[in-house]
Every structure is written in C-alpha cells, then in structure tokens.
Amino acid sequence: MDVPRGFTIRESDHRIHNPLGDAKPAVLGRALRPRPGRHVLDLACGSGGLLCTRARDHGLTGTGVDLCATFPASARARATELGVTDRVGFVHRDAAGHGADEPVDVAACVGATWIGDGGPGTVELLRRSLRPGGLLLVGHPFRRRTPPDRAAVEGSHATSRDDYPSLPGLLARVDEPGCDVVEVVPADRDTRDRYVAAQWLSTRRWLERNPDDEPAPVLRAELTTAPVRYARYEREYPGWGVFALMDR
C-alpha cells in the first residue's frame, strides 16, 4: 500500500506537505516553548520537514511514520542536511493505528487526519501514545467562507458544504474528546499560495521529463485547469491550521 503517485509527483520538492510555509512552524515553536530532549511522535510525517526542524531549533528528539515509500529516504536526507540524524528516525509504515512503544511528550498529525477518519478520531489515535500532560498537534482544514454553489464546493475539493466545518465548528469538534485548545496557528493566503504553486512547478517539470509516463495525461489536464480553479475556489473558501491540544 502506498499514497497515490500523483501526490508524490506534485509534492516531490516540498519539505513540508501542508500550507504552513516556512515561518509558521517557527511561530508554533515559539508559542509552545518545547523543552529540549522531549520526544515527538509524528504520524504521517511526509518528508520529515517539521520533525527535523523541531529537532534542530528546539533540541527535540522524535520518530516519524509515513505510508509513502519514498518519503522516509527524503526525511533521512533532510535530517542529515540539518545535522539531526542522532535525534530523529523515520519508519515506512501506515500511520493509521500506529502507537508508540513508550509514551511521548508530543504526538502530532499535521495534515493527514484521514488516518483517524477525521479530527476527533485522530485525536484519539494520538492520545494512545501521549504521556499525561503532553501536547497533541493536529493539522486540519476548516471553512473560511461558505461555498455559494455546487461549482464552488467541487472546486474546493469537497463533496458538500459540510465537509469543512467553520473554525468555531472545528474547535467544538476538537473539544468533544475532552481536550483544551492551547494554541492555533492558521495558514494564510500567502503560505497557501506558495504551497499550491510549488505543486504546479513540480508537476510541470515532471511532465517535461516523463511525457509518456502513465500519469502524464491526467497530470497535464490537471495542470491546465488547476491555477484558475485555485484562484477561483480553493483560495477563497477553505482554510487550514494547526491546533495544539492538551487533555483536561
């Protein structure tokens, strides 16, 4: 089992596979003030960008788990680049249902809450690995504005207007498992622009190198329409953020 190939092509040059950008993780780190030596479990860690950066900037240790066969190698290369190979490790495994062998100080899933069938389920999954008094970090989409019609719903990669809750609605859902929200760091339009536009460039470069590969026709058609769809719908209606939680 692996993630869809189109995803790995679009995000082949991404270090962080979500619209936080480079500055927002630093904001989150300063806000939470993690102590050096604390251990992080990062489920669906992608290329390890967030975990490696936390290890470098805050002296944390950690384990990243991801389903994609190619991402652990990219994550190890990033750890080498940042000089944190002695503090972090990466495992190729389905993060859904994964638990740490020992309780961790921070349990994170930043942008892949499908591993727990949504936000509340992912919170429960992360809790299984968390020590008392630890932090949960969850990245999740929300609705900035309500799509006015079916075209806007589908253009936002949703099936209905209710797919993305409002920010108050999402915070209420996170509250249901009995957690306190202690920090919110939302993506903004600029960081989202950078995240999505980088997908277009990676796709274009891949198409130039692989014009006859099997996914090429689909990705060519996607690239032709993606910028307009993004500007018209995705940039306007969905939001995205990272939420830090603690058990009550």
Side-chain angles (χ1 to χ4, degrees):
M1 187 177 181
D2 202 348
V3 299
R5 191 177 176 201
F7 176 83
T8 61
I9 292 170
R10 292 183 208 101
E11 307 224 351
S12 57
D13 291 323
H14 283 61
R15 289 180 170 176
I16 298 175
H17 301 280
N18 61 60
L20 274 188
D22 294 326
K24 296 283 187 175
V27 171
L28 184 63
R30 289 194 298 269
L32 297 177
R33 302 179 297 277
R35 296 178 184 175
R38 296 296 176 91
H39 194 78
V40 180
L41 174 66
D42 192 352
L43 297 184
C45 67
S47 299
L50 287 175
L51 182 54
C52 292
T53 302
R54 291 185 189 115
R56 180 196 65 185
D57 294 347
H58 304 288
L60 303 181
T61 64
T63 302
V65 180
D66 201 277
L67 176 64
C68 178
T70 62
F71 282 164
S74 298
R76 294 183 190 104
R78 181 63 171 156
T80 299
E81 180 184 346
L82 296 185
V84 295
T85 55
D86 59 331
R87 295 183 219 160
V88 296
F90 297 94
V91 180
H92 174 217
R93 184 178 301 163
D94 190 351
H98 179 84
D101 294 332
E102 299 290 338
V104 300
D105 302 291
V106 180
C109 177
V110 183
T113 51
W114 51 265
I115 68 171
D117 294 323
T122 300
V123 169
E124 292 296 346
L125 173 60
L126 294 172
R127 268 176 155 169
R128 299 174 196 171
S129 298
L130 193 68
R131 70 163 179 81
L135 277 170
L136 299 165
L137 295 179
V138 180
H140 201 277
F142 58 87
R143 184 177 68 244
R144 293 180 62 249
R145 296 172 54 199
T146 300
D149 52 35
R150 188 66 193 172
V153 169
E154 294 178 353
S156 302
H157 296 292
T159 58
S160 76
R161 292 180 179 180
D162 297 327
D163 280 3
Y164 300 135
S166 65
L167 183 55
L170 178 58
L171 292 172
R173 289 186 189 179
V174 169
D175 180 77
E176 288 172 5
C179 295
D180 290 321
V181 178
V182 297
E183 187 60 67
V184 177
V185 177
D188 56 37
R189 284 185 173 178
D190 182 64
T191 60
R192 195 176 186 95
D193 289 348
R194 303 283 62 75
Y195 170 67
V196 175
Q199 294 178 341
W200 305 337
L201 182 58
S202 294
T203 300
R204 172 56 190 262
R205 286 175 170 165
W206 183 90
L207 285 167
E208 290 172 352
R209 297 190 303 268
N210 304 275
D212 300 318
D213 206 334
E214 182 180 357
V218 172
L219 290 175
R220 175 66 264 174
E222 178 184 286
L223 182 59
T224 302
T225 58
V228 172
R229 185 187 65 240
Y230 171 73
R232 183 173 293 160
Y233 302 121
E234 294 175 64
R235 198 171 190 266
E236 296 300 314
Y237 301 106
W240 197 90
V242 177
F243 305 86
L245 317 170
M246 297 180 71
D247 276 334
R248 294 202 182 110

